[in-house]
């Protein structure tokens, strides 16, 4: 509990004790009124103040106003203990809710305990100095000791260690890091000392991006959340006027009919009506449910950028996948190298020719972040001398061209060769082909193959189980590879040899043919697929650690690259939405019943208190369930 909450608690205890004591005293008349005013003011002065401020600012109809009118009215009618008790229970409810919100906020920030406090910089005399990560320029050298968080994204210069990424991914599989590896901020260094050259400003680093994302997620509101805000805007004035009518009309008609007016009975009913109708249970529990859902998801390494996306996710009926890096590992093994026979003679023995082909490929691809490029560089396995490469041009969905040792090298798929007007060999093996041309002459191809992720098959099956109608795979790769992967995973439909623009078109076709209430999610690895990510109803970027473009373009970011997280995210969203609707229905039903009883004079102030505070407490307790995610992947 915060200090402020503790103060409220003391006020509650004091006022309750006071009320209990007064209950046993035989009091009458003005003395009774004066004595009851003490606990009433102790517990309610801030509500009264807020109500007055609201009136001054022209925002009259809120919960404070309802409570102020109802309790002042009760006191004036001589219902002192009821008036004070309404205030007391209202404050208990408010306190309860404040603690619940605080708890889930703390939960999220604990999960998101990734904000680094400092970075270690080595001074000239070898001593370490702790500085604010904000002050570290890109290209600086920082040291991260075991137990410390990596404060800024960078590349390891020296040292070997394991990194714990669980705060980021919700998964406690340690990652190895050694010289040359990229490391991202937010990981915890477990074992060894790492010397890191920073590649970004702190504000551009993964940690900052993620924290921004989580902090801003409450800005994007779900339909049901907006509904409640709008609802409260009309509802509260409506019940105020309703109460006014209830207080005035029946007595007037009594007078008209010649019977006694019975003002006090009807005013009391009107006040009861006011207390019952307070909309706080809804106003509080709905945002809290979404907050909890987003928090629970982030504990599993699923970042949701707003409750609107959580709501959309619960209606997902189509899931469209990118292939490379999403369903497959995106780590290719070179399975074959086939130089054209005339080059075998020109470049020495067959082995030397193959080596030369791989070398050209690795150099041409040396600047690209595409999984194919990374794999080719890895297969080459030697240090790349940057001075040998220039004029790199990457053509999305085709490949790359570059000058290597002064020669024009092109590496890419058959589309690239066709664009260059070159004849190429048809390959026969299964796999992705990287055709190569040097100085405008076709020199052969490298066959590489990717493996599907272990969890992909199960992930597709579990999506089907959660009620997804259709799974679709879109890929820029060849039809043969696409068919092979789709068959292996049980994917319903696939489209191959697509450029990023074609993928947008395919998604648009699917969007056109689906129902309004059916949502389409696109899942990609963020490489070349930002346009599709933003076009889909829900863009899901996976394995997005370190890929800024993906974190920005996506609506939902999966911190690791486990495709099982997609159905988990859908299940979390469904549970959250179910709880939201449970709360709406429950609160409205109880209120409606009590309102009718109140208007008929059957429900008294005490039932009104239950209808207000009791429902709120139950709704908040229900909302907190959103934070708990039972199943983890
Ligand atoms: P996917 O749709 O499978 O994610 P991309 O759209 O990234 O694939 O690429 C489609 C195809 O374009 C690849 O299968 C490959 O043939 C070719 N390609 C793209 N980038 C490169 C590159 N850097 N080097 C070689 N080939 C590439
Ligand atoms: Mg891709």
């Amino acid at each position: 509990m915060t200090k402020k909450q503790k103060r409220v608690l003391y006020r509650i205890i004091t006022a309750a004790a006071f009320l209990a004591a007064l209950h046993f005293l035989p009091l009458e008349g003005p003395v009774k009124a004066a004595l009851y005013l003490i606990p009433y003011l102790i517990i309610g002065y801030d509500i009264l103040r807020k109500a007055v401020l609201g009136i001054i600012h022209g925002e009259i109809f809120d919960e404070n106003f309802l409570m102020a009118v109802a309790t002042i009215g009760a006191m004036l009618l001589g219902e002192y203990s009821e008036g004070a008790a309404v205030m007391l229970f209202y404050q208990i409810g408010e306190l309860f809710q404040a603690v619940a919100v605080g708890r889930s906020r703390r939960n999220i920030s604990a999960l998101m305990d990734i904000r680094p406090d400092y970075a270690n910089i080595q001074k000239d005399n070898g001593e370490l100095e702790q500085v604010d990560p904000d002050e570290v320029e890109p290209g600086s050298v920082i040291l991260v000791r075991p137990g410390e968080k990596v404060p800024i994204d960078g590349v390891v210069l020296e040292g070997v260690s394991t990194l714990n990424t669980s705060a980021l991914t919700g998964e406690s599989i340690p990652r190895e890091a050694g010289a040359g590896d990229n490391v991202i901020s937010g990981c915890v260094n477990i074992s060894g000392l790492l010397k890191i050259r920073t590649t970004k400003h702190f504000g551009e680093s993964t940690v900052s991006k993620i924290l921004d994302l989580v902090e801003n997620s409450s800005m994007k509101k779900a339909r049901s959340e907006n509904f409640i805000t709008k609802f409260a805007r009309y509802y509260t004035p409506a019940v105020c006027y309703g109460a006014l009518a209830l207080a005035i009309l029946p007595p007037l008609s009594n007078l008209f009919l010649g019977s006694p007016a019975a003002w006090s009975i009807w005013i009391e009913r009107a006040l009861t009506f006011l207390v019952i109708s307070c909309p706080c249970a809804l106003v509080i529990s709905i945002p809290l449910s979404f907050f909890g859902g987003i928090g629970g998801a982030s504990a599993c390494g699923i970042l949701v950028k707003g409750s609107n996306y959580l709501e959309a996710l619960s209606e997902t009926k189509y899931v469209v996948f990118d292939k490379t890096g999403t369903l497959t590992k995106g780590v290719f093994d070179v399975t074959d190298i086939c130089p054209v026979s005339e080059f075998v003679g020109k470049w020495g023995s067959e082995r030397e020719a193959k080596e030369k082909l791989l070398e050209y490929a690795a150099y041409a691809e040396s600047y690209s972040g595409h999984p194919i490029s990374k794999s080719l560089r890895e297969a080459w396995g030697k240090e790349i001398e940057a001075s040998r490469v220039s004029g790199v041009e990457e053509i999305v969905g085709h490949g790359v061209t570059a000058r290597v040792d002064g020669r024009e090298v092109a590496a890419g798929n058959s589309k690239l060769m066709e664009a260059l007007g070159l004849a190429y060999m048809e390959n026969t093996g299964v796999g992705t082909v990287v055709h190569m041309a040097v100085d405008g002459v076709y020199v052969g191809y490298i066959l590489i193959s990717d493996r599907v992720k272990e969890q992909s098959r199960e992930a597709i099956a579990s999506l089907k189980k959660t009620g997804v109608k259709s799974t679709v795979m879109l890929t820029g790769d060849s039809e043969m590879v696409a068919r092979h992967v789709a068959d292996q995973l049980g994917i319903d439909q696939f489209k191959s040899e697509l450029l990023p623009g074609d993928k947008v078109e395919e998604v648009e076709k699917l969007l056109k043919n689906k129902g309004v209430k059916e949502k389409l999610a696109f899942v990609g690895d963020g490489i070349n697929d930002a346009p599709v990510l933003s076009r889909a109803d829900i863009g899901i970027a996976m394995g997005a650690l370190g890929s800024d473009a993906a974190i920005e373009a996506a609506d939902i970011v999966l911190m690791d690259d486990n495709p099982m997280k997609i159905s988990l995210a859908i299940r979390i969203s469904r549970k959250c939405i179910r709880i939201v609707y449970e709360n709406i229905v429950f609160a409205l039903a109880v209120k409606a019943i009590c309102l009718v009883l109140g208007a008929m004079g059957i429900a008294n102030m005490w039932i009104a208190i239950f209808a207000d505070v009791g429902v709120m407490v139950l709704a908040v307790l229900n909302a907190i369930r959103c934070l708990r995610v039972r199943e983890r992947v």
Side-chain angles (χ1 to χ4, degrees):
M1 258 194 237
T2 63
K3 263 208 189 114
K4 200 168 139 210
Q5 290 165 357
K6 275 204 187 113
R7 265 205 308 276
V8 177
L9 182 65
Y10 294 143
R11 281 168 58 202
I12 290 172
I13 295 171
T14 319
F18 223 112
L19 281 177
L22 290 179
H23 188 68
F24 293 107
L25 292 178
L27 296 167
E28 275 311 323
V31 183
K32 184 174 180 185
L35 281 178
Y36 268 101
L37 210 52
I38 300 172
Y40 175 68
L41 289 179
I42 290 178
I43 196 67
Y45 72 88
D46 52 340
I47 306 285
L48 297 174
R49 199 172 139 258
K50 279 187 221 157
V52 172
L53 287 179
I55 294 172
I56 292 172
H57 293 146
E59 291 154 13
I60 304 175
F61 298 113
D62 61 359
E63 297 102 81
N64 297 313
F65 177 76
L66 289 184
M67 285 300 140
V69 172
T71 55
I72 292 174
M75 301 298 273
L76 289 178
L77 287 178
E79 307 270 355
Y80 304 118
S81 52
E82 278 86 347
V86 167
M87 246 345 159
L88 181 69
F89 282 102
Y90 181 70
Q91 289 283 27
I92 292 176
E94 289 281 296
L95 177 67
F96 183 80
Q97 166 249 324
V99 172
V101 170
R103 164 117 356 123
S104 46
R105 187 159 290 158
R106 256 200 313 286
N107 256 341
I108 292 178
S109 56
L111 304 167
M112 289 280 111
D113 183 21
I114 49 177
R115 189 190 298 281
D117 306 316
Y118 59 85
N120 297 316
I121 290 221
Q122 198 157 26
K123 288 199 287 193
D124 296 337
N125 61 7
E127 271 177 44
L128 286 188
E129 189 189 2
Q130 293 193 346
V131 297
D132 190 324
D134 246 340
E135 293 166 11
V136 179
E137 291 293 320
S140 314
V141 176
I142 56 169
L143 280 140
V144 182
R145 290 173 290 197
E148 290 179 335
K149 284 176 216 136
V150 177
I152 302 165
D153 295 1
V155 184
V156 177
L157 290 178
E158 276 172 38
V160 195
S161 181
T162 40
L163 296 173
N164 181 353
T165 59
S166 66
L168 294 173
T169 61
E171 213 75 35
S172 51
I173 305 163
R175 290 190 187 187
E176 306 291 326
D181 289 343
N182 281 315
V183 287
I184 49 171
S185 47
C187 302
V188 177
N189 183 8
I190 302 175
S191 47
L193 181 70
L194 289 177
K195 201 180 231 185
I196 295 170
R197 180 183 298 286
T198 63
T199 50
K200 288 180 188 164
H201 273 293
F202 175 62
E204 297 297 310
S205 287
T206 310
V207 176
S208 304
K209 294 244 150 108
I210 291 168
L211 288 170
D212 280 353
L213 193 157
V214 171
E215 278 155 18
N216 291 327
S217 66
S218 56
M219 313 275 286
K220 295 200 176 116
K221 300 234 183 308
R223 268 198 320 274
S224 36
E225 227 172 327
N226 285 326
F227 163 75
I228 291 303
T229 319
K230 268 206 208 109
F231 173 80
R233 204 178 304 145
Y234 295 107
Y235 171 85
T236 315
V239 295
C240 287
Y241 291 125
L244 196 62
L246 191 60
I248 295 175
L249 295 182
L252 283 184
S253 67
N254 280 347
L255 283 178
F256 194 68
L257 295 173
S259 41
W263 284 104
S264 64
I265 293 180
W266 288 102
I267 291 178
E268 198 183 328
R269 284 188 192 175
L271 295 175
T272 310
F273 185 88
L274 269 188
V275 175
I276 295 169
S277 58
C278 182
C280 16
L282 292 175
V283 172
I284 287 157
S285 73
I286 308 301
L288 186 66
S289 307
F290 281 112
F291 200 64
I294 291 176
S298 65
C300 308
I302 301 165
L303 301 184
V304 183
K305 284 196 185 169
S307 37
N308 52 339
Y309 302 121
L310 204 62
E311 194 173 43
L313 195 62
S314 71
E315 296 163 1
T316 307
K317 282 283 177 281
Y318 296 87
V319 182
V320 182
F321 292 91
D322 186 38
K323 177 182 73 74
T324 314
T326 305
L327 291 169
T328 65
K329 291 188 174 161
V331 182
F332 295 82
D333 298 320
V334 171
T335 50
D336 202 2
I337 304 179
C338 300
V340 175
S341 48
E342 26 190 304
F343 278 91
V344 174
K346 215 164 158 188
W347 284 347
S349 71
E350 184 168 347
R351 200 179 55 85
E352 281 164 328
K354 284 184 174 179
E355 204 145 293
K356 195 74 196 156
L357 209 57
L358 188 58
E359 182 178 353
Y360 273 131
Y363 270 90
E365 301 268 13
S366 59
Y367 284 99
S368 167
H370 198 278
I372 291 181
S373 319
K374 287 188 193 159
S375 307
L376 287 172
R377 288 201 297 274
E378 207 123 288
W380 169 238
K382 289 180 204 158
E383 198 71 41
I384 300 278
E385 296 162 39
S387 58
R388 289 173 57 190
V389 197
S390 63
V392 180
E393 202 176 331
E394 184 154 8
I395 308 149
V396 286
H398 289 79
V400 291
T401 59
R403 284 189 85 77
V404 180
D405 299 336
R407 290 164 176 268
E408 286 295 338
V409 177
N413 53 17
S414 47
K415 277 206 194 96
L416 181 69
M417 293 299 122
E418 279 155 21
L420 295 173
L422 298 173
Y424 52 88
M425 284 195 275
E426 293 291 342
N427 82 300
T428 43
V430 171
T432 304
V433 190
V434 181
H435 292 293
M436 304 276 307
V438 176
D439 281 338
V441 181
Y442 183 73
V443 293
Y445 66 80
I446 299 173
L447 190 64
I448 55 183
S449 77
D450 196 359
R451 259 168 295 160
V452 299
K453 292 181 188 165
E454 290 92 6
Q455 313 94 339
S456 290
R457 200 187 152 75
E458 204 188 337
I460 300 289
S462 109
L463 282 174
K464 285 265 133 125
K465 238 185 357 212
T466 36
V468 168
K469 266 196 201 161
S470 178
T471 51
V472 184
M473 181 177 83
L474 303 180
T475 179
D477 213 337
S478 67
E479 183 180 344
M480 190 167 42
V481 178
R483 184 178 302 280
H484 185 72
V485 172
D487 286 349
Q488 221 175 331
L489 299 181
I491 293 209
D492 298 325
Q493 292 177 51
F494 71 90
K495 290 269 157 60
S496 57
E497 294 177 34
L498 301 172
L499 296 177
D502 304 335
K503 293 187 190 173
V504 177
E505 254 166 53
E506 289 296 330
V507 164
E508 265 163 5
K509 264 189 230 159
L510 288 165
L511 285 171
K512 228 182 272 159
N513 292 331
K514 70 179 181 51
V516 195
K517 271 271 176 187
E518 300 178 326
K519 292 287 188 302
L520 180 145
F522 177 83
V523 193
D525 62 351
I527 292 175
N528 297 346
D529 46 23
V532 208
L533 279 176
S534 43
R535 187 66 193 87
D537 293 323
I538 312 146
I540 305 179
M542 97 177 341
L545 279 183
S547 161
D548 302 343
I551 291 187
E552 246 141 61
D555 307 317
I556 293 176
V557 177
L558 306 180
M559 298 303 289
D560 58 6
D561 52 12
N562 183 350
M564 286 298 286
K565 291 273 169 80
I566 304 162
S567 62
L568 178 64
I570 293 179
R571 283 199 302 275
I572 291 175
S573 71
R574 294 248 173 95
K575 177 174 163 192
C576 181
I577 300 297
R578 196 172 60 236
I579 289 175
V580 165
Y581 282 105
E582 275 168 20
N583 276 349
I584 293 180
V585 170
F586 169 67
L588 289 183
V590 173
K591 298 233 153 181
I593 294 168
C594 292
L595 277 178
V596 173
L597 295 180
M600 296 193 317
I602 299 172
N604 59 15
M605 227 15 147
W606 296 106
I607 291 187
I609 292 172
F610 168 75
D612 179 32
V613 179
V615 169
M616 176 163 101
V617 168
L618 290 176
V620 167
L621 281 178
N622 197 22
I624 290 176
R625 290 199 301 134
C626 288
L627 197 62
R628 260 208 342 260
V629 181
R630 230 170 302 125
E631 33 191 341
R632 290 192 158 212
V633 176

